[in-house]
Amino acid sequence: MKLKMFTVLTLAGTVALSGCSSAKPGASSNSATPNATAQSAPTKLVWFSDASFWNPPSPWNTDPNSVEGTITQKTGLTFDFNIPAQDGGTKLSLMLATSEKLPDIVTVTDGTLVKKLIDSGKVWNMEEFLKKYDPSSTLLANFPHDMKQALIARDGGWFAFPSHMNSTDAREIYPASSEFYSDAAKFRNNNAVIFNEQIMKQAGISVSDIKTEDDLLAAFKKVKELKVNGAPVIPLLVHGKNYQVATLPTLQDHFGAMEVDKAGNYRDKIFAPETKHVLDFMFKAAQEGYFDPGQMTLDDNGISAAASTGRVFCFIGGTPATKFSEGINGLTWVSPGPILSNQNTKPVAGRNLKTTTGWMQTLISKTAANPERIAKWLDYMTSNEGLLLNYYGFEGKGYNLNNGLVAQTELGVQEAKDYSKTGVFAFWPFHNTAWHDHATEAPKNRVGPDALMAMQVGTAAAKKSTIYDTSALAMPSDFIPAGSKMANDQVQIDQYKLAQISKIILAKDANAMNQFYNDMISKLKQLGLSDIDAKKNEQFHKQEKDFGITVVGVNS
């Protein structure tokens, strides 16, 4: 799972664009609103996805008072979902390699699969599809130009419909309704250092007391002797078995580690001196017993269970795993912003400032039944009306309109949590961040995935950090060819690094820790990481030139 995947439900995600520029959520701008089923029975399509963590309502509910039933009424379609619990990408690749019929609708998160689908010739070019089957489609006129160009540059044409659109052109079509949402677009990150306010109050610690790593270690020491409901406080909770892709990157940002050095050359972040300092910090925390090594095996359910006990003082990592935003057991959380290194380095926050191509990618099979209805379905799902239904359900039940902006009800919040049953917030492939931030009023409540507490936690670090453009640092999905020596080297490197970092953090003493670290750097070079970095550096500089940007290290 790319960590960003698990975060989708906490982002103000959203669907593709539709209708009129800056259309208000209460106004319909949709060409597919007439009931499609008045003419004939619904067409049943198969919708495949490699996203095993996505659980849309199944079986499809045709009750016209349901989200799915309304979609059927408007488009004349129903869906059977084919979402393998594991190895979805492998199963789709086998379909492509054989004469097996491709599912009608395919939604994937793996860029390699997008390329395979396009290369197979079995999926439609989106523009050709819409011009043939719905020439009046609003998508032909109002799809964000910058995103279309980014998709064409990536795929050689506009084949995929992307989720979570949030580009410059998208936000011009749908300007944010408030500073709350414009800040989210600029600064929000799910990775953070957060603190339990109830334990802070018990310990007499304020947010202003925790600015540096030394402050943090001192706070850990202070709360270690406290108890909550008779059980000892857990000073630090790391991000379980994913701590190396969540806890460590959080601290790397705060301590100023980057994938490019001050000379402007690419280097794996593991070689950055600031990363060594992150490992030093984690080693100290382990030595003092501020976190139990057993945490390193927890899954997200274990993390949320631990956080909800009220015993966790500090969590570092991908905050959605804790379910902190739900306010379970009345708990509230806060972030002080970046934890500053005692090496006087500046905190950083990487942002891909180039137009991205979204997250989930939806493609249409050339063998799909009733393509005219599919074209109308795309139009409906990306219209104001369709987006309101997808995100919030039904007016007067899941949401109300205040001065033309959506105010979600408590029932609506619960329906979104139960999306697999209700269909509310269920159709992630059509989530459109720009539309959401335009159509929704700023929340007034603290609790909720997009409420005040979640936003404070998600934006505090970046607001006080140096933001740099990561677009030229992102390598193409097929940059290292599968099965090549370099690809095999990368697998060995990743496996070795995973084991060695844990050894470093849990070393018996400082001498052993430093020895393990030095061994790791030598071994990584021996395994070919420097050669991989050299190749990436060439591509990085090429992309800098192509994108018209220059990136240099802020610290080392």
Side-chain angles (χ1 to χ4, degrees), residues 65 73 154 159 166 173 187 233 284 394 450 460 482 545:
N65 295 313
Q73 277 198 323
R154 184 191 72 184
F159 291 89
N166 199 25
I173 295 171
F187 302 117
V233 164
K284 291 175 185 176
F394 298 97
D450 288 313
K545 185 177 180 180

Side-chain angles (χ1 to χ4, degrees), residues 495-539:
Q495 291 173 343
Y496 171 76
K497 192 163 55 173
L498 188 69
Q500 190 69 7
I501 285 175
S502 293
K503 283 179 64 177
I504 291 168
I505 292 171
L506 301 178
K508 65 179 181 179
D509 56 40
N511 287 334
M513 183 269 182
N514 287 316
Q515 185 60 54
F516 288 151
Y517 174 80
N518 291 333
D519 290 346
M520 177 180 70
I521 297 302
S522 296
K523 183 67 172 179
L524 290 175
K525 292 177 180 178
Q526 180 185 333
L527 290 172
L529 185 54
S530 294
D531 294 335
I532 293 174
D533 279 2
K535 182 175 180 180
K536 287 184 175 180
N537 189 47
E538 292 178 5
Q539 180 67 19

Side-chain angles (χ1 to χ4, degrees), residues 9 323 325-328 390-393 397-399 407-426 445 447-449:
L9 285 178
K323 297 185 179 179
S325 65
E326 297 180 18
I328 297 171
N390 180 2
Y391 266 91
Y392 298 116
K397 181 183 177 185
Y399 71 94
Q408 195 171 25
T409 64
E410 288 187 15
L411 176 60
V413 171
Q414 188 59 49
E415 286 180 327
K417 290 180 183 177
D418 298 332
Y419 78 95
S420 294
K421 297 177 182 177
T422 66
V424 176
F425 204 72
N445 54 306
V447 174

Side-chain angles (χ1 to χ4, degrees), residues 186-454:
K186 289 184 285 188
F187 302 117
R188 193 170 184 182
N189 190 333
N190 284 316
N191 284 352
V193 179
I194 63 174
F195 296 92
N196 177 320
E197 290 190 297
Q198 283 68 38
I199 295 178
M200 291 180 77
K201 182 177 180 180
Q202 183 181 349
I205 297 172
S206 68
V207 172
S208 61
D209 293 331
I210 306 174
K211 296 179 180 178
T212 69
E213 60 172 303
D214 294 331
D215 295 338
L216 182 53
L217 291 170
F220 287 162
K221 183 177 182 179
K222 188 171 186 178
V223 302
K224 188 181 179 184
E225 305 307 319
L226 301 180
K227 291 188 176 182
V228 172
N229 297 325
V233 164
I234 301 168
L236 171 62
L237 177 64
V238 300
H239 197 130
K241 61 185 179 181
N242 288 315
Y243 84 95
Q244 291 193 30
V245 294
T247 302
L248 297 188
T250 302
L251 291 172
Q252 284 174 312
D253 279 353
H254 291 202
F255 287 10
M258 292 174 60
E259 290 173 301
V260 57
D261 61 25
K262 291 198 85 166
N265 291 311
Y266 180 93
R267 48 95 190 275
D268 192 286
K269 206 178 285 187
I270 196 68
F271 293 134
E274 297 84 8
T275 296
K276 169 63 163 63
H277 197 62
V278 167
L279 297 176
D280 288 339
F281 173 85
M282 292 295 295
F283 167 74
K284 291 175 185 176
Q287 285 283 296
E288 296 298 331
Y290 296 146
F291 74 94
D292 188 315
Q295 292 179 14
M296 294 177 171
T297 64
L298 292 175
D299 60 14
D300 282 6
N301 289 330
I303 291 168
S304 62
S308 65
T309 64
R311 294 172 53 209
V312 173
F313 169 62
C314 173
F315 172 79
I316 303 177
T319 55
T322 66
K323 297 185 179 179
F324 83 97
S325 65
E326 297 180 18
I328 297 171
N329 295 326
L331 298 175
T332 57
W333 300 78
V334 68
S335 172
I339 303 299
L340 301 177
S341 163
N342 61 21
Q343 302 296 302
N344 297 317
T345 50
K346 296 177 181 179
V348 297
R351 294 288 185 272
N352 191 329
L353 303 180
K354 177 176 174 286
T355 300
T356 63
T357 52
W359 175 36
M360 295 176 126
Q361 309 286 307
T362 297
L363 300 97
I364 311 299
S365 169
K366 287 183 176 178
T367 59
N370 212 326
E372 293 85 359
R373 288 190 179 182
I374 294 175
K376 292 296 183 185
W377 169 69
L378 289 172
D379 236 29
Y380 176 72
M381 295 299 288
T382 61
S383 69
N384 249 352
E385 183 181 344
L387 288 164
L388 278 167
L389 181 72
N390 180 2
Y391 266 91
Y392 298 116
F394 298 97
E395 186 177 1
K397 181 183 177 185
Y399 71 94
N400 296 304
L401 291 176
N402 293 337
N403 298 317
L405 296 175
V406 172
Q408 195 171 25
T409 64
E410 288 187 15
L411 176 60
V413 171
Q414 188 59 49
E415 286 180 327
K417 290 180 183 177
D418 298 332
Y419 78 95
S420 294
K421 297 177 182 177
T422 66
V424 176
F425 204 72
F427 296 96
W428 302 355
F430 290 102
H431 280 195
N432 178 328
T433 307
W435 178 90
H436 171 278
D437 293 356
H438 169 76
T440 311
E441 72 172 10
K444 300 177 178 66
N445 54 306
R446 288 199 72 189
V447 174
D450 288 313
L452 298 175
M453 182 167 65

Side-chain angles (χ1 to χ4, degrees), residues 161-177:
F161 186 88
S163 73
H164 297 85
M165 292 195 283
N166 199 25
S167 68
T168 298
D169 287 354
R171 297 190 83 83
E172 285 182 2
I173 295 171
Y174 292 118
S177 64

